Amino acid sequence: MRRLVALVLVLFFARGVAAHVGSPNVFFEGDAGPYPIRVMIRPPAAVPGLAEITVRVKTNGVSKVSVLPAKWDTGRKGAPPADFAKPVAGEADLYSCQLWLMTSGAYSVFVDVEGAAGRGTAIVPVNSLSLKRLAMPRWMGGLFAALGLVLFFSLAALVGAAVREASLPVGQGVDAARRRRGRIGGGIAVTIATGLLWLGKGWWDKVDRDFRNNRLYEAPVASAAIEGGKIKIASPMSYRRFDHTDLVPEHGKIMHLFLVEKGNGRGFAHLHPERKNGAFYAALPKLPAGEYHVYGDVTHESGFSHTWLATAQIPEGIQSATLDKDDAISVAERQTARTLTLPNQARIEWENAPALKANQETTLRFSVKNADGTRAQFEPYLGMYAHAVIWKNDGNVFTHLHPLGTISMTSQLLFAQREKGPRLANDPLDIVCGAPPKDISFPYAFPQAGHYRIWVQVRMNGQIQTAVFDVDVP
Amino acid sequence: MVCGWVVLRTSFFATEQERAVAVKYLGFYGPLGAWVTIWGSLTMLVSAPFDNWWHDAYGLDVEILSPPHTLLALGMYGVAVGALLLVLAQQNRAASQGANESKTATRLFLFALGVLLAMASIILTEKSYPNAQHTRSFYLLCGITYSFYLALASRASRSRWGATAAAAWYMAIVGGMVWILPLFKAQPMLAPIYLKVDHMVPPVFPFLLVLPALAIDLIHRALGMEGGFWRRCVVGAALGAAFFLVFVGVQWNFSAFLMHSEGAKNWFFSAHQQWPYFARPGPWRGEFWTGNGTDVFNVKAALLVLVCAMVAARVGIGMGGWMRTVRR
């Protein structure tokens, strides 16, 4: 049996990442009971820290919006009273609030909306993680050093003054011997304070090391290899300090694996490996040979969802294997068109590309029409009516999006089940994707300026259709 | 601000007699205690932006001991020590003149020492749960800290029961928190909440410091306070040994009482309501901790604690002796 083994380079991303790479903000677009809402959560850089939450309610008659953080292992029973989100001045339908995320792991924010139509709740899962170590700005370091020197030398002078004069009988002047003793006292104070500073620096260094080694989350780096026409992903162990629970299927798949050709993203595959003996295997489709970024999206029993990273060298001569029915590939050169023809001759148009700006919340809107000009009918594909993968060409941003946002549906379901039990019929918690949409939209904010490639995937007449757009985000 | 005003007044508007009891520092005049308080206040102010940056960089430090919190504690100590020096100078000047106000100043001084002892106990909170009171680190920290303070109190105060009175103030302050705080309703405001709490959580019942303090006062009186360097070393060793024996004997058994006796689960001892909302349930709450066998109070640890307590008491005597001379 022919066996191809490719050495896999491991790619290490130093920058902060979460369930999506380089794109930690969480977006949710859905319903809280009778109220259509959009939620954006900006997690803190370090935990414990404050998350910024904004809730846009797209209807009138709302009287109250409250938000509540719940850790996965305690749920709402282990949560404090909800915080009321305050209306944002000048925005009729926007509410904002800050919430403390106190420990690392899977949290969920319960968004309660009350108004004329009653009360509704939406669950928005969020990973609580320390994502980056903040460097001290130079000016701040200089200021602290200056203040520290003032305290240091004023303490030495104070000790010197105390030794020199504090014991003097009332009215008696300072003689030479006392001045000398004062100087000696000041010198001893300098020595002791220097020792304490040295100990303090060692303590600070130890805290910093502990933060970087144990508390700072970096995307787990897996190893990937090509064996017998399959790609094999070995599970990394580094994530276990953040979540030790087992993996659960997301949209029926234990892992959603994405291969993106380095540099231009020309070759792309969305695969679904099977787990055997702790490793993950997926049949490899025919892709252009070259070096690929490998992104593996997984979700845990806790609701924690994140992305594993690796790189793989796809060799020449890979024969197209029998793929999973939900696998899809795309090979597309860079192009600037905003209206594309899909393999089934339907046409997809990206409606709002020119309005994009880095770090600005937006909605990516696409419309799809059949070849005869009629509006396309979508079928569920992996539990959703559309998927989008957004990738920055340096590999530092990777996001798997759905019309309901960046959240993991399985995570949302797990939180809902823990709160309400396994049955969700007649439940006010909205966790299903709803009726087929007329058009496709994804809530998002590009986290950095740069060149991005966007793959939009839908299922029509049983076939997965993939459209590829390129865009420069200023 | 008050101390700043005192310094400005002493520097520019004081009489010769008032300036005669001041310390000259950086060209200004003021009582030593005022200067120390000002230094402490500045240190506390500097710790605030440092702590803020620390939260941004490493997350909120929900712990008592961290570098910025230690800087803050240093400043708080500066403020408290400054107040202590103000009344100390008053005590010593009054005593040298035989004035009656010496007693009031001495009482205030001992109260200030009780506050310092309470501050020390707050800093040591994370190591002071009854569960930790069979560990090497607990007795080492307490042996150094409280042996120093009690020897200092015994030496520096004009009272015959200086250490005992300071320890009693400490127990009254911490005991007051134990008895009063749980009376107020409260609820946790941060998730995750592993323990339902519906009242303010009190600190652990104070150490029974009056007993080793009493031993220190008695031995100090028996051995006398005067003498040369080596004589004071002998006294310090005796005080440290007395502290070690009484403190270990008392806390070893008292911690077991707090942990296991039904008699401790009441308003007075509050042993049943000391855990915060974020304490996960488990058998660890009813066990003596040993740090997985690395933090055991054995014979070797006991000898180390004994030596450290002796040295700390000797330093306390030396510091206390200097404090008896402070007049400005």
Side-chain angles (χ1 to χ4, degrees), chain A residues 46 48 73-74 77-78 80-81 100 102 107 144 151 154 157-158 164-169 171-172 203-204 208 215, chain B residues 20 23-25 35 39 50 53-54 56 58-60 66 70 187-194 196 280 325 327-328:
Chain A
D73 55 351
T74 60
K77 286 181 184 171
W100 280 102
M102 296 302 294
Y107 271 76
F144 282 141
L151 291 177
S154 61
L158 191 54
R164 188 178 66 233
E165 298 180 37
S167 303
L168 272 178
Q172 185 176 316
W203 187 9
W204 187 341
D208 190 64
R215 291 173 53 205
Chain B
V23 170
K24 188 179 180 186
Y25 178 63
W35 288 118
W39 185 87
F50 181 34
W53 176 83
W54 191 273
D56 290 341
Y58 302 114
L60 184 73
S66 68
T70 303
Q187 66 179 123
M189 298 301 286
L190 299 168
I193 299 165
Y194 293 107
K196 289 290 180 191
R280 289 172 184 263
T325 67
R327 295 186 178 86
R328 299 184 174 214

Side-chain angles (χ1 to χ4, degrees), chain B residues 77-88:
Chain B
Y77 261 87
V79 172
V81 169
L84 182 139
L85 287 170
L86 283 170
V87 293
L88 186 70

Side-chain angles (χ1 to χ4, degrees), chain A residues 111 156 162 249 271 301 445:
Chain A
V111 181
L271 309 175
E301 286 172 355

Side-chain angles (χ1 to χ4, degrees), chain A residues 82-233:
Chain A
D83 284 296
F84 292 110
K86 293 179 181 171
V88 175
E91 298 276 341
D93 56 357
L94 190 63
Y95 298 79
S96 74
C97 189
Q98 290 185 320
L99 287 181
W100 280 102
L101 300 180
M102 296 302 294
T103 57
S104 295
Y107 271 76
S108 201
V109 174
F110 288 76
V111 181
D112 285 341
V113 182
E114 286 184 54
R119 181 179 175 185
T121 300
I123 297 176
V124 186
V126 57
N127 285 347
S128 172
L129 295 165
S130 294
L131 296 173
K132 65 179 178 184
R133 179 194 168 281
L134 188 71
M136 185 179 282
R138 275 193 162 193
W139 66 267
M140 190 184 285
L143 181 63
F144 282 141
L147 291 170
L149 283 174
V150 168
L151 291 177
F152 182 89
F153 286 111
S154 61
L155 176 65
L158 191 54
V159 171
V163 174
R164 188 178 66 233
E165 298 180 37
S167 303
L168 272 178
V170 176
Q172 185 176 316
V174 180
D175 57 20
R178 281 193 169 272
R179 283 200 183 86
R180 190 171 63 252
R181 282 168 58 187
R183 282 194 288 273
I184 292 170
I188 292 172
V190 165
T191 306
I192 293 173
T194 303
L196 291 175
L197 275 177
W198 181 75
L199 288 174
K201 184 184 179 306
W203 187 9
W204 187 341
D205 289 344
K206 188 174 173 228
V207 171
D208 190 64
R209 264 197 313 277
D210 176 63
F211 182 81
R212 283 186 279 111
N213 295 336
N214 300 317
R215 291 173 53 205
L216 184 65
Y217 176 87
E218 286 167 340
V221 179
S223 64
I226 311 301
E227 295 180 359
K230 290 188 173 184
I231 182 165
K232 174 190 174 186
I233 308 294

Side-chain angles (χ1 to χ4, degrees), chain B residues 125-137:
Chain B
T125 295
E126 288 162 357
K127 293 282 188 183
S128 300
Y129 277 91
N131 312 61
Q133 293 186 20
H134 282 191
T135 61
R136 170 183 176 272
S137 59

